[in-house]
Amino acid sequence: MVLSPADKTNVQAVWNKIGRLDTYGWEALDRMFMSFPTTKTYFAHFDLSPGSAQIQQQGKKVADALALAAANMDDLPGALSSLSDLHAHKLRVDPVNFKLLTHSLLVSLATNYPEEFNPAVHASLDKFLASVSTVLTSKYR
Ligand code: HEM
């Protein structure tokens, strides 16, 4: 997956707009748990009622990681190295779940930022999230 210069511009424009308003992260987790209940197995130790404090905290962590990725699109493997170790070796998250979270993130971004979310931006965000997912699942054996 190669992000073109236009993709990078589109992704950066959305993240500039998001700024510190990162509620889309936990909204996306709520959507993922509701639409794809098998994903809940990884978070069995969480209070999974919609909008719980733990889901909000986790959503903030995911949003912060994506902001870091958006700021380092030329070196995603370097920027996400420790997260890649975590998801592959410690958590052992099945890669299929990254598609489910990506879908949920796209829906949340679209509903929170409808004016920015035109078809070209949608395509660039999809590529960006696929690239992040590739890095986070790259250390599976
Ligand atoms: C865009 C993709 C993803 C990003 C950016 C991401 C990011 C993160 C971050 C930043 C953390 C916290 C790491 C820390 O505390 O040091 C984390 C933890 C975790 N992630 Fe992910 N993640 C992604 C996808 C997934 C998926 C698809 C699953 C499973 C469905 C998952 C399951 C977990 C679990 C179980 C934890 C540990 C939660 C806890 O016990 O506190 N992640 N992730």
Side-chain angles (χ1 to χ4, degrees), residues 11-138:
V11 170
Q12 269 155 1
V14 171
W15 257 268
N16 288 343
K17 171 86 183 191
I18 291 171
R20 299 183 66 80
L21 294 172
D22 47 19
T23 51
Y24 79 90
W26 64 264
E27 283 183 25
L29 289 174
D30 270 349
R31 286 177 189 279
M32 180 178 78
F33 294 138
M34 225 170 262
S35 301
F36 312 108
T38 53
T39 58
K40 293 198 270 190
T41 55
Y42 295 98
F43 295 90
H45 52 302
F46 270 36
D47 169 7
L48 291 178
S49 46
S52 77
Q54 279 177 310
I55 292 181
Q56 293 202 31
Q57 280 161 11
Q58 181 63 17
K60 171 94 175 83
K61 289 181 187 177
V62 172
D64 285 347
L66 291 175
L68 178 72
N72 291 277
M73 280 187 280
D74 291 327
D75 182 23
L76 288 178
L80 301 176
S81 177
S82 60
L83 272 186
S84 177
D85 284 329
L86 178 76
H87 286 80
H89 297 147
K90 185 154 175 265
L91 300 172
R92 305 192 70 79
V93 178
D94 188 314
V96 73
N97 293 291
F98 285 81
K99 291 197 189 302
L100 306 179
L101 180 57
T102 288
H103 174 77
S104 306
L105 285 165
L106 286 174
V107 174
S108 288
L109 287 167
T111 52
N112 278 284
Y113 303 99
E115 284 172 20
E116 284 72 21
F117 206 91
N118 62 40
V121 168
H122 181 171
S124 297
L125 289 173
D126 190 44
K127 283 172 78 175
F128 168 66
L129 292 170
S131 301
V132 169
S133 298
T134 298
V135 171
L136 293 190
T137 55
S138 64

